[in-house]
Amino acid sequence: MQEDAIPATSGCSSRVVSARSVLTRLRAFYDSQKTRSLDFRKEQLCALGCAIEVRESDILEALYEDLHKPRQEAYVSEVGFVLSDISYTLQRLARWARPRRRRGPLLAWPSRGLILPEPYGTVLIIGPWNYPFQLLLSPLVAAIAAGNCVCLKPSELAPATSAVVARMVLDTFSEDYITAAEGGPETAEELTNQGFDYIFFTGSIRVGRQVMEAAARHLTPVTLELGGKSPCIVCHDVDLTLAARRILWGKCMNAGQTCMAPDYVWVDALVEREFLTALGSVLNEFYGGAPRQSPDYGRIINRGHFDRLLGYLGQGRLVCGGEHEADGLFMAPTILADVSPSAPVMQEEIFGPILPVLRFNDIDEVLVSLKRRPKPLALYVFARNRAFQARILAETASGGVCVNDTMTQAFGKTLPFGGLGASGMGSYHGKAGFDCFTHYKSVLRRSTWPDLRFRYPPTRHSLATVKRFCRLFMRR
């Protein structure tokens, strides 16, 4: 997903000192206990929401400058998404943060147990360039709600959005509480080496491995939101135009630069021709005959990614699209058919507006192929037959699944969003986001009386008696 790397060598000593001072300030603020107050957390969430609303135009303009994002799309997928996170969290935060009572073990009778939600402490959130606002600020909402102090690392590949976010954070929060560290890969490396209490990273698999390696040196827990090749399966019994419309909506959002976008499609051979025709018709419906002129279509982030995508265009039969312009970083939505499973476009995450379509005669061949591949972030299946849907769910593994649509599984707040295996670890959104940044501390409070001598040495009972005791007193 994100192609910037954290280099193996350290940056200059002055930057290391700066990164270390960031963590020192955050830790001191966290130790003051201010973030433990629910009122404080709610005030900060409200302040963040107000800051976003005041700067809405600046944010949308920055997203257009970085990625040519249409304003409506940018609002829904970035600004509005974060504002809805804040509203949802404020309504439920008191319930989420409430201690939970549990029964104590019989061995410790009389006693009572509690589970206390408490913050991890200092959190580092590293954001990507493809959704440079939402994928940085949505985790921030959850981290604030959980009571943490946070350092944000925006992506340098989206410099306009990075600057807006950094300025907004500086103007809204004490830098000892929430801060933003702009910079390149060396900044990310220095921050990950400082020993934060938690790291949340969204980006590529390659950089995710480097983040996890750095975190392991401090035994720092991590959430990794990565990517991979999310497959889409189209059965013969669905409305093909509806399927094409929903698949291309997910594929073409942000010019295909979405970690959970459908990466490629398996279509039943019985309806392959009709499906390809439907894809072409839907693209014309969406963007007309000249997508470059459409106000609803974005651009590729930079020349490096553009050139990478350009290399995929000749790896299958061009059904439609293929137009491109390097100077404007424009690449039209493109459909490829007759693609070899061994082609690079089928081995690497595409992360762009190119959609390979493969045919299948028997679903078994699709399932065998999926089991040989790394686990994707998302899997999409279009089918009316419930038994077919159930088989796909039972015989595949992925971070999440969406049936008869694409990407909408991530827009709600009640479904955890996250990867599995190579596509990541950990999840967030809604309550899952609060849980992500929260340690649930178990507490047992016990009376000082009675104090049975049975458990203390020297042993006075036979093994048979001890076994009976365990069966009776250790069942809960």
Side-chain angles (χ1 to χ4, degrees):
M1 191 161 121
Q2 191 179 15
E3 293 301 318
D4 52 324
I6 300 178
T9 57
S10 297
C12 69
S13 60
S14 62
R15 286 199 298 264
V16 174
V17 170
S18 177
R20 189 176 298 125
S21 66
V22 166
L23 180 56
T24 300
R25 293 197 308 270
L26 294 179
R27 188 154 286 151
F29 191 94
Y30 178 73
D31 289 343
S32 73
Q33 301 286 305
K34 291 180 181 178
T35 67
R36 297 298 186 105
S37 163
L38 279 184
D39 288 339
F40 176 84
R41 301 183 204 182
K42 291 179 179 179
E43 288 170 4
Q44 306 312 307
L45 288 171
C46 289
L48 178 59
C50 290
I52 292 172
E53 290 176 340
V54 167
R55 294 164 177 80
E56 177 186 313
S57 294
D58 292 339
I59 297 165
L60 295 178
E61 183 177 335
L63 291 167
Y64 186 86
E65 182 177 340
D66 287 330
L67 287 150
H68 203 87
K69 286 198 180 191
R71 293 176 70 87
Q72 295 87 340
E73 178 187 305
Y75 185 86
V76 171
S77 64
E78 304 250 22
V79 177
F81 194 105
V82 176
L83 289 174
S84 70
D85 273 350
I86 294 172
S87 176
Y88 186 89
T89 300
L90 282 170
Q91 294 172 21
R92 294 160 177 82
L93 180 55
R95 183 166 72 250
W96 293 348
R98 190 177 300 146
R100 305 168 190 179
R101 291 188 177 185
R102 294 292 186 270
R103 291 192 302 175
L106 285 173
L107 180 65
W109 181 87
S111 65
R112 66 177 182 176
L114 282 177
I115 298 176
L116 298 179
E118 65 177 20
Y120 274 102
T122 57
V123 171
L124 172 63
I125 300 175
I126 304 175
W129 54 262
N130 60 326
Y131 290 84
F133 187 80
Q134 183 228 122
L135 294 180
L136 191 69
L137 273 292
S138 186
L140 173 63
V141 171
I144 291 174
N148 298 280
C149 294
V150 183
C151 176
L152 298 172
K153 168 57 181 74
S155 173
E156 73 283 1
L157 298 184
T161 309
S162 176
V164 168
V165 168
R167 173 52 59 184
M168 181 180 72
V169 168
L170 180 65
D171 292 345
T172 306
F173 304 107
S174 163
E175 65 176 350
D176 296 337
Y177 169 52
I178 308 288
T179 190
E182 293 190 275
E186 70 286 347
T187 301
E189 184 215 8
E190 290 153 10
L191 289 168
T192 56
N193 284 329
Q194 295 311 306
F196 281 82
D197 296 312
Y198 201 94
I199 297 178
F200 189 105
F201 170 80
T202 305
S204 71
I205 296 171
R206 177 173 56 84
V207 181
R209 288 192 181 101
Q210 296 172 358
V211 170
M212 192 170 182
E213 181 180 351
R217 289 194 286 270
H218 299 278
L219 297 180
T220 298
V222 298
T223 291
L224 301 178
E225 298 294 342
L226 308 177
K229 295 184 74 65
S230 295
C232 183
I233 302 169
V234 178
C235 190
H236 66 85
D237 64 350
V238 296
D239 181 326
L240 296 176
T241 299
L242 175 69
R245 188 177 292 125
R246 292 182 177 180
I247 290 168
L248 288 174
W249 175 81
K251 182 65 174 180
C252 295
M253 182 181 289
N254 200 28
Q257 299 165 117
T258 305
C259 57
M260 61 176 174
D263 192 90
Y264 63 100
V265 176
W266 282 100
V267 62
D268 192 314
L270 294 173
V271 294
E272 179 192 17
R273 182 177 298 178
E274 293 89 342
F275 180 65
L276 291 174
T277 300
L279 289 173
S281 298
V282 168
L283 282 178
N284 188 69
E285 174 189 319
F286 282 3
Y287 306 114
R292 190 183 184 286
Q293 309 302 321
S294 172
D296 298 314
Y297 187 67
R299 296 296 184 268
I300 307 305
I301 183 67
N302 58 33
R303 184 60 186 265
H305 280 278
F306 178 88
D307 291 341
R308 177 183 60 82
L309 292 168
L310 197 61
Y312 293 145
L313 292 182
Q315 296 179 13
R317 175 169 60 88
L318 185 64
V319 176
C320 59
E323 300 88 359
H324 54 275
E325 182 183 295
D327 289 344
L329 296 176
F330 164 77
M331 181 165 289
T334 300
I335 310 299
L336 297 178
D338 302 329
V339 179
S340 169
S342 62
V345 74
M346 287 301 301
Q347 303 304 312
E348 303 156 3
E349 184 180 12
I350 295 172
F351 220 64
I354 301 170
L355 185 66
V357 178
L358 296 80
R359 73 177 73 86
F360 70 88
N361 294 294
D362 190 319
I363 192 60
D364 286 341
E365 63 183 288
V366 177
L367 294 173
V368 168
S369 173
L370 295 181
K371 289 173 183 177
R372 290 174 178 169
R373 292 178 174 272
K375 297 176 179 65
L377 181 58
L379 184 145
Y380 303 106
V381 54
F382 285 79
R384 288 179 177 173
N385 186 288
R386 289 296 183 92
F388 184 91
Q389 296 175 11
R391 186 178 178 195
I392 299 299
L393 289 172
E395 298 187 31
T396 61
S398 59
V401 178
C402 189
V403 178
N404 292 328
D405 204 351
T406 64
M407 305 241 292
T408 50
Q409 76 275 16
F411 278 80
K413 313 302 179 188
T414 59
L415 293 175
F417 175 79
L420 178 69
S423 60
M425 62 179 66
S427 59
Y428 69 123
H429 286 188
K431 174 64 161 52
F434 180 85
D435 292 343
C436 174
F437 294 102
T438 298
H439 168 64
Y440 286 92
K441 182 164 65 178
S442 296
V443 178
L444 181 72
R445 290 196 176 102
R446 194 189 169 197
S447 170
T448 57
W449 183 92
D451 188 38
L452 299 177
R453 297 297 303 275
F454 180 90
R455 68 179 187 175
Y456 301 119
T459 303
R460 300 176 180 84
H461 305 282
S462 68
L463 179 58
T465 302
V466 170
K467 287 180 178 180
R468 287 195 295 272
F469 176 88
C470 287
R471 285 194 295 269
L472 178 63
F473 288 96
M474 297 180 69
R475 290 179 297 179
R476 74 179 196 199

